[in-house]
Short mmCIF file of all heavy atoms in Angstrom, two decimals:
data_model
loop_
_atom_site.label_atom_id
_atom_site.label_comp_id
_atom_site.label_asym_id
_atom_site.label_seq_id
_atom_site.Cartn_x
_atom_site.Cartn_y
_atom_site.Cartn_z
N MET A 1 88.10 -27.00 -10.19
CA MET A 1 86.90 -26.99 -10.95
C MET A 1 85.61 -27.23 -10.05
O MET A 1 84.54 -26.82 -10.48
CB MET A 1 87.00 -28.14 -11.99
CG MET A 1 86.41 -27.83 -13.32
SD MET A 1 86.50 -26.08 -13.77
CE MET A 1 86.63 -26.15 -15.40
N LEU A 2 85.86 -27.85 -8.92
CA LEU A 2 84.74 -28.06 -7.92
C LEU A 2 84.14 -26.66 -7.60
O LEU A 2 82.88 -26.64 -7.47
CB LEU A 2 85.23 -28.84 -6.69
CG LEU A 2 84.15 -29.07 -5.67
CD1 LEU A 2 83.03 -30.00 -6.22
CD2 LEU A 2 84.82 -29.69 -4.48
N GLU A 3 85.00 -25.67 -7.33
CA GLU A 3 84.54 -24.38 -6.93
C GLU A 3 83.63 -23.79 -8.09
O GLU A 3 82.58 -23.23 -7.78
CB GLU A 3 85.74 -23.38 -6.76
CG GLU A 3 86.40 -23.62 -5.45
CD GLU A 3 87.61 -24.63 -5.58
OE1 GLU A 3 87.82 -25.11 -6.72
OE2 GLU A 3 88.32 -24.82 -4.59
N VAL A 4 83.98 -24.03 -9.31
CA VAL A 4 83.19 -23.53 -10.44
C VAL A 4 81.85 -24.22 -10.51
O VAL A 4 80.77 -23.64 -10.73
CB VAL A 4 83.86 -23.68 -11.76
CG1 VAL A 4 83.00 -23.39 -13.01
CG2 VAL A 4 85.15 -22.87 -11.84
N LEU A 5 81.81 -25.50 -10.27
CA LEU A 5 80.54 -26.27 -10.28
C LEU A 5 79.62 -25.79 -9.10
O LEU A 5 78.45 -25.56 -9.30
CB LEU A 5 80.77 -27.81 -10.10
CG LEU A 5 81.35 -28.44 -11.33
CD1 LEU A 5 81.76 -29.86 -11.02
CD2 LEU A 5 80.38 -28.39 -12.50
N VAL A 6 80.21 -25.61 -7.92
CA VAL A 6 79.36 -25.08 -6.79
C VAL A 6 78.93 -23.71 -7.01
O VAL A 6 77.81 -23.35 -6.76
CB VAL A 6 80.26 -25.22 -5.47
CG1 VAL A 6 79.57 -24.57 -4.29
CG2 VAL A 6 80.60 -26.71 -5.20
N LEU A 7 79.83 -22.83 -7.56
CA LEU A 7 79.48 -21.43 -7.87
C LEU A 7 78.38 -21.45 -8.91
O LEU A 7 77.39 -20.64 -8.78
CB LEU A 7 80.69 -20.69 -8.33
CG LEU A 7 80.50 -19.23 -8.71
CD1 LEU A 7 80.05 -18.39 -7.43
CD2 LEU A 7 81.70 -18.57 -9.29
N SER A 8 78.52 -22.25 -9.99
CA SER A 8 77.50 -22.44 -11.00
C SER A 8 76.13 -22.73 -10.39
O SER A 8 75.13 -22.12 -10.79
CB SER A 8 77.90 -23.39 -12.00
OG SER A 8 79.12 -23.11 -12.69
N PHE A 9 76.13 -23.66 -9.58
CA PHE A 9 74.94 -24.16 -8.95
C PHE A 9 74.33 -23.00 -8.09
O PHE A 9 73.09 -22.73 -8.24
CB PHE A 9 75.22 -25.35 -8.09
CG PHE A 9 74.03 -25.95 -7.40
CD1 PHE A 9 73.15 -26.69 -8.05
CD2 PHE A 9 73.80 -25.70 -6.07
CE1 PHE A 9 71.96 -27.31 -7.47
CE2 PHE A 9 72.68 -26.23 -5.44
CZ PHE A 9 71.73 -26.97 -6.14
N ALA A 10 75.13 -22.33 -7.29
CA ALA A 10 74.63 -21.23 -6.45
C ALA A 10 74.07 -20.09 -7.33
O ALA A 10 73.01 -19.56 -6.93
CB ALA A 10 75.78 -20.78 -5.52
N LEU A 11 74.76 -19.72 -8.35
CA LEU A 11 74.37 -18.59 -9.11
C LEU A 11 73.08 -18.87 -9.94
O LEU A 11 72.32 -17.97 -10.20
CB LEU A 11 75.43 -18.13 -10.10
CG LEU A 11 76.67 -17.49 -9.49
CD1 LEU A 11 77.76 -17.21 -10.53
CD2 LEU A 11 76.36 -16.19 -8.76
N SER A 12 72.92 -20.11 -10.26
CA SER A 12 71.73 -20.48 -11.07
C SER A 12 70.44 -20.55 -10.21
O SER A 12 69.33 -20.61 -10.76
CB SER A 12 71.96 -21.86 -11.74
OG SER A 12 71.99 -22.90 -10.82
N MET A 13 70.58 -20.45 -8.96
CA MET A 13 69.37 -20.57 -8.11
C MET A 13 68.44 -19.39 -8.27
O MET A 13 67.26 -19.52 -8.16
CB MET A 13 69.78 -20.66 -6.61
CG MET A 13 70.42 -22.09 -6.27
SD MET A 13 69.21 -23.47 -6.52
CE MET A 13 69.94 -24.14 -8.05
N ASP A 14 69.01 -18.23 -8.54
CA ASP A 14 68.12 -17.03 -8.78
C ASP A 14 67.30 -17.27 -10.04
O ASP A 14 66.11 -17.05 -10.07
CB ASP A 14 69.00 -15.77 -9.00
CG ASP A 14 68.95 -14.83 -7.83
OD1 ASP A 14 68.20 -15.10 -6.90
OD2 ASP A 14 69.67 -13.84 -7.82
N ALA A 15 67.97 -17.73 -11.04
CA ALA A 15 67.32 -17.93 -12.36
C ALA A 15 66.35 -19.15 -12.20
O ALA A 15 65.18 -19.04 -12.75
CB ALA A 15 68.30 -18.33 -13.45
N PHE A 16 66.63 -20.11 -11.41
CA PHE A 16 65.78 -21.25 -11.14
C PHE A 16 64.48 -20.74 -10.48
O PHE A 16 63.35 -21.12 -10.86
CB PHE A 16 66.44 -22.26 -10.27
CG PHE A 16 65.68 -23.47 -9.84
CD1 PHE A 16 65.24 -24.37 -10.85
CD2 PHE A 16 65.38 -23.71 -8.51
CE1 PHE A 16 64.49 -25.51 -10.48
CE2 PHE A 16 64.62 -24.81 -8.17
CZ PHE A 16 64.24 -25.72 -9.17
N ALA A 17 64.67 -19.95 -9.47
CA ALA A 17 63.49 -19.39 -8.75
C ALA A 17 62.55 -18.54 -9.66
O ALA A 17 61.39 -18.72 -9.59
CB ALA A 17 64.02 -18.63 -7.51
N VAL A 18 63.20 -17.71 -10.41
CA VAL A 18 62.41 -16.96 -11.36
C VAL A 18 61.76 -17.73 -12.44
O VAL A 18 60.55 -17.54 -12.72
CB VAL A 18 63.29 -15.79 -12.04
CG1 VAL A 18 62.54 -15.09 -13.14
CG2 VAL A 18 63.78 -14.80 -10.99
N SER A 19 62.41 -18.77 -12.84
CA SER A 19 61.80 -19.72 -13.89
C SER A 19 60.65 -20.47 -13.30
O SER A 19 59.66 -20.66 -14.02
CB SER A 19 62.91 -20.75 -14.32
OG SER A 19 63.94 -20.02 -15.05
N ILE A 20 60.68 -20.81 -12.09
CA ILE A 20 59.55 -21.45 -11.38
C ILE A 20 58.31 -20.47 -11.48
O ILE A 20 57.22 -20.84 -11.85
CB ILE A 20 59.78 -21.86 -9.95
CG1 ILE A 20 60.81 -23.05 -9.92
CG2 ILE A 20 58.55 -22.21 -9.21
CD1 ILE A 20 61.31 -23.38 -8.53
N GLY A 21 58.60 -19.23 -11.17
CA GLY A 21 57.57 -18.24 -11.25
C GLY A 21 57.01 -18.02 -12.57
O GLY A 21 55.83 -17.86 -12.78
N LEU A 22 57.89 -18.02 -13.56
CA LEU A 22 57.48 -17.92 -14.99
C LEU A 22 56.57 -19.16 -15.39
O LEU A 22 55.54 -18.95 -16.06
CB LEU A 22 58.65 -17.88 -15.90
CG LEU A 22 59.52 -16.60 -15.77
CD1 LEU A 22 60.73 -16.71 -16.76
CD2 LEU A 22 58.65 -15.40 -16.16
N GLY A 23 56.97 -20.32 -14.89
CA GLY A 23 56.16 -21.50 -15.25
C GLY A 23 54.81 -21.47 -14.61
O GLY A 23 53.80 -21.93 -15.14
N ILE A 24 54.73 -20.91 -13.40
CA ILE A 24 53.41 -20.79 -12.67
C ILE A 24 52.53 -19.76 -13.48
O ILE A 24 51.32 -20.07 -13.58
CB ILE A 24 53.64 -20.29 -11.20
CG1 ILE A 24 54.30 -21.40 -10.40
CG2 ILE A 24 52.42 -19.86 -10.64
CD1 ILE A 24 54.78 -20.87 -9.04
N LYS A 25 53.09 -18.66 -13.96
CA LYS A 25 52.27 -17.67 -14.56
C LYS A 25 51.93 -17.94 -16.01
O LYS A 25 51.10 -17.30 -16.49
CB LYS A 25 52.97 -16.30 -14.46
CG LYS A 25 53.12 -15.79 -12.99
CD LYS A 25 51.83 -15.44 -12.48
CE LYS A 25 51.99 -14.90 -11.06
NZ LYS A 25 50.60 -14.69 -10.51
N SER A 26 52.69 -18.78 -16.71
CA SER A 26 52.59 -18.84 -18.11
C SER A 26 51.35 -19.61 -18.62
O SER A 26 51.01 -20.58 -18.04
CB SER A 26 53.85 -19.52 -18.66
OG SER A 26 53.77 -19.60 -20.03
N ASN A 27 50.82 -19.14 -19.71
CA ASN A 27 49.82 -19.83 -20.47
C ASN A 27 50.34 -20.27 -21.78
O ASN A 27 49.57 -20.73 -22.65
CB ASN A 27 48.58 -18.90 -20.62
CG ASN A 27 47.94 -18.53 -19.32
OD1 ASN A 27 48.02 -19.31 -18.41
ND2 ASN A 27 47.41 -17.35 -19.30
N GLU A 28 51.65 -20.10 -22.09
CA GLU A 28 52.24 -20.36 -23.29
C GLU A 28 52.62 -21.85 -23.43
O GLU A 28 52.45 -22.63 -22.51
CB GLU A 28 53.59 -19.59 -23.44
CG GLU A 28 53.44 -18.12 -23.43
CD GLU A 28 54.83 -17.44 -23.56
OE1 GLU A 28 55.65 -17.93 -24.27
OE2 GLU A 28 55.00 -16.40 -22.92
#
Side-chain angles (χ1 to χ4, degrees):
M1 215 35 148
L2 178 63
E3 286 90 357
V4 172
L5 289 172
V6 173
L7 181 64
S8 301
F9 182 76
L11 291 175
S12 68
M13 290 298 106
D14 255 356
F16 178 65
V18 171
S19 295
I20 291 172
L22 293 174
I24 289 170
K25 294 291 180 186
S26 178
N27 297 329
E28 300 180 34

